[in-house]
């Protein structure tokens, strides 16, 4: 699978990302963030911020660090932050598989539509848990393969095409949840016809 910075949607198509994907995702991401009920002083890490379409959902009283491996994406996110004068948001280049933060650094760790792009989603999830404080929340929104055998077979059939663009249609939710030190509080689709799941898990310990 292509690395995030090698995927066409993260490089060649960066300028068009918001047009194609922003309107589909942004309301849902803001809804999830609002439901977290962030408190003043909370520290939050967003892994794979892209062009920053989710950033408007974070309240100004929480400190947000947002990383992405794509310089092209971060340029667009930086412009968005500057235009909105979001002083509570800090942007950095970063690798989702090797988070450059100490253990137990954040109250919340979020990621939107990134797990199916990275070459090792289980490692990414493990890293998100590592940098989250005990009792903190890990929040993931992503497409996952259907549990329905027929739909799963369809996903496998189209996976070669999806991989050429830089993501997989074969990742299952259990592939990034099983065996990790978390208690899953939510693992559900947004609607019966939605292909996207929301996972919210509490770090044990």
């Amino acid at each position: 699978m292509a690395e995030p910075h090698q995927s066409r949607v993260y490089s060649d198509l960066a300028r068009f990302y918001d047009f194609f994907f922003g309107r589909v995702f942004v309301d849902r991401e803001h809804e999830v963030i609002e439901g977290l009920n962030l408190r003043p002083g909370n520290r939050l890490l967003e892994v794979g911020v892209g062009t920053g379409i989710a950033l408007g959902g974070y309240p100004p009283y929480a400190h947000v660090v947002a990383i992405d491996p794509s310089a092209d994406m971060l340029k667009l996110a930086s412009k968005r932050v500057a235009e909105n004068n979001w002083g509570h948001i800090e942007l950095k280049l970063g690798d989702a598989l090797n988070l450059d933060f100490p253990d137990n650094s954040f109250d919340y760790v979020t990621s939107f539509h990134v797990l199916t792009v990275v070459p090792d989603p289980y490692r990414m999830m493990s890293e998100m848990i590592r940098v989250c404080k005990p009792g903190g929340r890990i929040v993931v929104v992503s497409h996952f393969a259907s549990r329905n055998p027929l739909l799963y077979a369809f996903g496998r059939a189209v996976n070669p095409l999806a991989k050429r663009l830089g993501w997989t249609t074969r990742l299952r939710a259990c592939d990034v949840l099983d065996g990790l030190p978390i208690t899953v509080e939510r693992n559900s689709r947004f609607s019966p016809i939605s292909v996207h799941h929301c996972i919210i898990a509490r770090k044990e310990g």
Side-chain angles (χ1 to χ4, degrees):
M1 186 188 306
E3 297 282 355
H5 63 280
Q6 295 171 332
S7 171
R8 291 198 63 199
V9 297
Y10 283 84
S11 54
D12 298 351
L13 301 181
R15 291 174 299 167
F16 310 105
Y17 186 88
D18 283 4
F19 178 80
F20 286 110
F21 299 106
R23 294 180 182 178
V24 177
F25 296 153
V26 66
D27 290 342
R28 188 169 292 157
E29 294 173 6
H30 286 191
E31 176 187 341
V32 171
I33 293 169
E34 183 178 354
L36 298 178
N37 296 316
L38 298 175
R39 298 178 180 276
N42 279 161
R43 282 177 51 82
L44 183 145
L45 173 67
E46 182 178 332
V47 180
V49 66
T51 63
I53 59 175
L55 294 178
Y58 298 115
Y61 49 76
H63 179 69
V64 178
V65 179
I67 68 164
D68 201 275
S70 168
D72 293 329
M73 288 290 192
L74 282 180
K75 287 179 182 178
L76 297 175
S78 296
K79 181 180 178 182
R80 192 188 301 269
V81 169
E83 289 175 347
N84 289 279
N85 196 28
W86 288 332
H88 61 297
I89 294 174
E90 177 183 0
L91 299 174
K92 292 184 176 183
L93 278 169
D95 180 0
L97 303 185
N98 297 281
L99 295 177
D100 190 21
F101 304 100
D103 296 355
N104 309 323
S105 294
F106 298 95
D107 301 288
Y108 294 86
V109 184
T110 65
S111 182
F112 303 109
H113 309 287
V114 178
L115 275 175
T116 56
V117 173
V118 297
D120 190 343
Y122 189 84
R123 178 169 176 173
M124 175 180 161
M125 192 72 168
S126 298
E127 278 289 276
M128 292 174 65
I129 294 168
R130 178 184 65 80
V131 301
C132 187
K133 296 177 182 179
R137 263 60 179 187
I138 297 91
V139 182
V140 170
V141 174
S142 186
H143 168 270
F144 290 107
S146 175
R147 298 172 184 172
N148 182 296
L150 292 178
L151 294 178
Y152 182 75
F154 175 77
R156 291 188 62 180
V158 302
N159 193 56
L161 175 60
K163 288 181 69 175
R164 294 186 65 181
L165 292 173
W167 67 80
T168 181
T169 59
R170 296 183 61 180
L171 184 68
R172 301 168 300 173
C174 62
D175 295 333
V176 294
L177 295 176
D178 290 354
L180 293 173
I182 53 175
T183 299
V184 177
E185 298 177 335
R186 176 180 177 182
N187 178 15
S188 61
R189 291 184 292 174
F190 286 96
S191 73
I193 61 172
S194 175
V195 297
H196 294 115
H197 279 65
C198 178
I199 294 173
I200 300 178
R202 176 177 54 83
K203 180 176 177 179
E204 298 172 355

